Amino acid sequence: MRSMTGYGRIEENIGNYSYTVEIKSLNGKHLNIKTNLPWIYSSLELKVNDILKKYFKRGSLNVYIDIRLIQPKDIIKIDKALAKSYYDALNELAKYLHLSDLPDLELLVKFKEIMRYSIDEKDLEAIWDGLEIVVKKAIEKVIETQKSEGEKINKVIMEYVDNIENITNDIEKYAGDMKKYYSDKLKESLKDLDLEIEYNKERLEYEIALILERGDITEEIDRLKMHIKKFRDVALSNVEAMGQNLDFLAQEMHREFNTIASKSKLKEITALSIDGRLFVNKIKEQVQNIH
């Protein structure tokens, strides 16, 4: 079980480049990736995102990437003709406005078009080879923290599941008292009518059977047991989108408790079904943070 909350940071030198990759993972219903990458390497963003999608199916990922040269390399190209054109234009403007200050280098470098970054395909491939290694190591760190947090969540959820199982067993025990309950209620109703009549025992049994059939919760109890077993199986598996699977099973358990409460007239069963729904709601809160 993995939480959607995790963190990983790796700094490593590979070849002529120094890499820093930091990944923060937070809760999110769907996968949302925000990558902060130096614009000169923006063409690598899709490759980074493709790797992330292999390891994360849900959550909000904030990814920070920094790439720096270790040794100087000729990757900056100067557009000398454009620089001369800017200088001449600024010089002409200064004269026109009768300004004493003439354009200098500090002013010219503010025009970004003059200095251009240029990375050839071979260098870009080398940068990606190193970046891919560091990104995967950062992902491993994130998953490690997610699993650690997931173990804590799993412990809490399993306690809730144990409570739900105990409640289900108690409901099953009280379900056996349903016949006596309805029989007593019918007899009391007949006495309240204050009629001096003899009621047919077989007819009374028939009426009780009809009521019991309408209020039968055997199927709901069986389905609850099935959902509980399935929930445990999924929680112990490596199934993808585990959080979504567990959330679905929690909804199914909630539905069964609702049906039991609507069918049964025993106050003990009604109280137990309310307790069951409370624990299911607690599970639903927890599974929202499961990857």
Side-chain angles (χ1 to χ4, degrees), residues 114-150:
I114 293 175
M115 302 178 69
R116 301 169 186 259
Y117 293 91
S118 178
I119 301 178
D120 60 35
E121 194 66 29
K122 185 177 180 181
D123 285 339
L124 199 60
E125 288 179 4
I127 292 169
W128 169 247
D129 289 341
L131 180 59
E132 183 179 16
I133 293 170
V134 180
V135 167
K136 287 183 177 180
K137 287 184 178 181
I139 289 173
E140 289 176 4
K141 283 279 187 181
V142 174
I143 292 176
E144 184 181 327
T145 59
Q146 287 182 333
K147 287 182 177 179
S148 177
E149 185 66 23

Side-chain angles (χ1 to χ4, degrees), residues 10 22 27 29 31 40 46 65 67 79 87 113 118 134 141 157 173 182 192 198 231 266:
I10 297 292
E22 182 179 70
N27 289 358
K29 190 173 182 180
L31 182 61
I40 189 174
L46 289 177
I65 297 174
I67 305 171
D79 192 330
Y87 179 81
E113 297 87 349
S118 178
V134 180
K141 283 279 187 181
I157 288 178
K173 292 175 184 176
Y182 284 119
D192 290 341
E198 291 288 334
F231 193 99
L266 284 178

Side-chain angles (χ1 to χ4, degrees), residues 61-103:
L61 299 179
N62 293 308
V63 185
Y64 167 79
I65 297 174
D66 187 42
I67 305 171
R68 301 191 181 189
L69 280 166
I70 297 175
Q71 297 294 330
K73 193 175 182 66
D74 184 19
I75 62 171
I76 298 177
K77 308 299 180 184
I78 300 174
D79 192 330
K80 297 177 182 178
L82 183 60
K84 182 66 166 59
S85 296
Y86 271 121
Y87 179 81
D88 290 343
L90 291 170
N91 199 27
E92 182 181 348
L93 181 61
K95 289 178 180 179
Y96 177 76
L97 296 175
H98 304 290
L99 301 175
S100 58
D101 293 335
L102 296 177

Side-chain angles (χ1 to χ4, degrees), residues 189-226:
S189 297
L190 289 171
K191 288 179 181 178
D192 290 341
L193 289 174
D194 196 25
L195 297 176
E196 295 181 359
I197 60 172
E198 291 288 334
Y199 54 82
N200 186 294
K201 185 177 180 181
E202 291 183 0
R203 180 64 182 178
L204 180 63
E205 290 291 333
Y206 176 74
E207 293 296 333
I208 292 172
L210 288 178
I211 296 172
L212 285 173
E213 185 178 354
R214 289 194 294 267
D216 184 25
I217 56 174
T218 303
E219 289 186 8
E220 286 74 19
I221 292 171
D222 289 342
R223 282 196 293 265
L224 266 173
K225 290 180 178 179
M226 181 183 67

Side-chain angles (χ1 to χ4, degrees), residues 252-269:
E252 291 299 300
M253 286 191 280
H254 197 279
R255 182 178 294 110
E256 301 304 338
F257 279 123
N258 272 338
T259 305
I260 287 172
S262 64
K263 280 187 173 183
S264 174
K265 302 302 180 184
L266 284 178
K267 62 181 181 180
E268 292 85 357
I269 291 180

